[in-house]
């Protein structure tokens, strides 16, 4: 996206997984992938089952979308076992909605930071209102939209909380940025971090402002640099097996984009459309809307840090509103 390739993170890919089938990805971790591929979910949502492969107690991380086939596949995978914990990284609709059906079938206790954030709901509803007023069709919710408004955790879980079972121990990390209620779960027995959408190997994470906060996101990437985990397992895409250099590259990529936006404002006020036209001139114009959302997230983060000001008389998310250096 208009960047120096040497400064971009080196993304990883994987073949399309066998939907609905159980993959043993480590001695104590299995994965079942939902058939919900999209521009946000890659091949689909990967639900992790942590614990022994047969018998005993297990935990399920991110049960996934409200998809009957996926729920049935999860329940087949844990036949003969007791599901004691459902761990929810966050409430986007590709992560948490299936928790209700899995909980009803197993009696497991749900753990999460909290319900879907009110700020995210307001922002989504405002986008829908604007589209309708403009005579446009509101965008379909394909992963980052209205969210799971029904989820309320049985156990409110926050930073530093420890969750234990017969064969697993998790430490919860509150990692706002992608969304304010995001958690990662550190699995001590295998030095593994289940990263949800905080860190993904196939793509950078979307930071949908205003609930998504780029300052928070970068702060919570930086704290991972001092963590002991040697493997990351995102909800989407392949495992990350050398995470520290990768996270460092993600941080530098975002800092580079921040510098480019500040440089773009050095000659005077500009709006989001103008900045996108300069920074992303070499990408498909169909991607400019996503690029504009990223630029807005950066501008809002810079504004919260006191480095830029919006000249908007009303809504600063208006792409025609000018911004200037503070």
């Amino acid at each position: 996206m208009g960047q120096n390739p040497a400064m971009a993170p080196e993304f990883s890919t994987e073949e399309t997984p066998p939907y609905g089938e159980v993959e043993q990805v480590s001695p104590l971790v299995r994965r079942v992938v939902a058939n919900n591929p999209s521009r946000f979910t890659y091949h689909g949502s990967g639900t992790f089952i942590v614990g022994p492969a047969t018998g005993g107690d297990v935990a399920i991380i991110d049960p996934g979308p409200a998809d009957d086939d996926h729920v049935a596949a999860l329940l087949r995978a844990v036949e003969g076992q007791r599901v004691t914990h459902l761990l929810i990284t966050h409430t986007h609709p590709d992560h948490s909605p299936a928790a209700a059906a899995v909980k009803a079938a197993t009696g497991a206790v749900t753990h999460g930071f909290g319900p879907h954030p009110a700020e995210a709901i307001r922002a989504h509803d405002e986008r829908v209102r604007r589209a309708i007023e403009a005579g446009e069709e509101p965008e379909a919710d394909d992963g980052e939209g209205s969210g799971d408004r029904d989820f309320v955790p049985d156990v409110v879980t926050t930073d530093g909380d420890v969750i234990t079972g017969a064969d697993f121990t998790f430490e919860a990390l509150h990692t706002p940025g992608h969304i304010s209620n995001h958690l990662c779960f550190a699995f001590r027995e295998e030095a593994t971090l289940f990263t949800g959408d905080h860190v993904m190997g196939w793509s950078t994470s979307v930071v949908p402002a205003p609930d998504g906060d780029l300052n928070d996101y970068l702060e919570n990437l930086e704290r991972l640099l001092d963590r002991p985990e040697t493997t990351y397992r995102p909800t989407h895409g392949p495992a990350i097996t050398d995470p520290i250099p990768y996270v460092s590259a993600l941080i530098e990529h975002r800092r580079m984009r921040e510098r480019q936006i500040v440089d773009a404002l050095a000659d005077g006020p500009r709006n989001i459309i103008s900045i996108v036209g300069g920074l992303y001139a070499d990408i498909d114009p169909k991607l400019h809307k996503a690029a504009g959302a990223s630029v807005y997230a950066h501008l809002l983060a810079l504004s919260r840090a006191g480095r830029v000001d919006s000249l908007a008389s009303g809504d600063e998310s208006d792409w025609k509103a000018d911004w200037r250096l503070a």
Side-chain angles (χ1 to χ4, degrees), residues 15-300:
E15 296 296 322
T16 302
Y19 293 121
E21 296 184 18
V22 181
E23 303 170 272
Q24 189 80 43
V25 296
S26 77
L28 287 172
V29 179
R30 290 170 283 164
R31 184 177 75 155
V32 179
V33 180
N35 189 1
N36 64 327
S38 78
R39 63 192 175 110
F40 290 119
T41 63
Y42 193 38
H43 293 310
S45 298
T47 297
F48 294 100
I49 304 168
V50 181
T54 58
D57 296 349
V58 296
I60 291 178
I61 300 174
D62 277 356
D67 178 274
D68 291 343
D69 290 340
H70 183 59
V71 170
L74 287 178
L75 296 179
R76 286 195 302 271
V78 296
E79 285 181 2
Q81 298 183 290
R82 186 174 68 137
V83 181
T84 57
H85 300 74
L86 294 174
L87 309 185
I88 309 301
T89 64
H90 64 294
T91 51
H92 279 144
D94 50 323
H95 291 256
S96 62
V102 175
K103 175 183 174 179
T106 65
V109 175
T110 59
H111 294 251
F113 186 81
H116 198 60
E119 186 69 31
I121 293 172
R122 284 193 294 270
H124 173 268
D125 291 349
E126 178 63 17
R127 288 193 296 271
V128 171
R129 184 190 65 78
R130 286 182 186 172
I132 292 173
E133 288 182 351
E136 301 171 354
E137 184 73 20
E139 286 190 1
D141 184 359
D142 53 2
E144 312 297 338
S146 60
D148 180 1
R149 302 188 186 194
D150 295 326
F151 177 76
V152 178
D154 296 324
V155 178
V156 174
T157 305
T158 190
D159 197 67
D161 287 351
V162 176
I163 301 164
T164 59
D167 292 286
F168 50 79
T169 309
F170 296 101
E171 177 191 354
L173 282 67
H174 182 215
T175 49
H178 172 67
I179 184 174
S180 60
N181 67 3
H182 197 288
L183 295 170
C184 294
F185 295 100
F187 177 38
R188 291 180 178 173
E189 283 77 359
E190 291 191 348
T192 293
L193 188 67
F194 292 93
T195 56
D197 284 356
H198 184 54
V199 180
M200 299 184 292
W202 70 283
S203 173
T204 56
S205 298
V206 175
V207 181
D211 178 73
D213 187 306
L214 199 53
N215 292 325
D216 286 345
Y217 179 70
L218 288 168
E219 179 181 334
N220 285 293
L221 284 180
E222 289 171 348
R223 69 183 292 209
L224 298 185
L225 300 178
D226 296 322
R227 297 284 309 179
E229 290 79 27
T230 56
T231 299
Y232 290 178
R233 296 197 183 279
T235 299
H236 311 290
I240 302 166
T241 55
D242 192 14
I244 300 305
Y246 181 73
V247 170
S248 297
L250 288 176
I251 294 168
E252 176 53 29
H253 171 71
R254 298 283 185 169
R255 295 299 186 196
M256 175 202 68
R257 187 63 75 203
E258 177 183 274
R259 291 192 294 270
Q260 289 177 327
I261 290 171
V262 170
D263 288 345
L265 297 176
D267 293 330
R270 296 178 67 175
N271 62 31
I272 292 173
I273 295 172
S274 172
I275 295 171
V276 169
L279 297 188
Y280 298 86
D282 58 344
I283 70 167
D284 187 336
K286 293 179 181 178
L287 299 176
H288 280 193
K289 189 169 186 177
S294 177
V295 169
Y296 173 53
H298 275 281
L299 288 169
L300 195 58

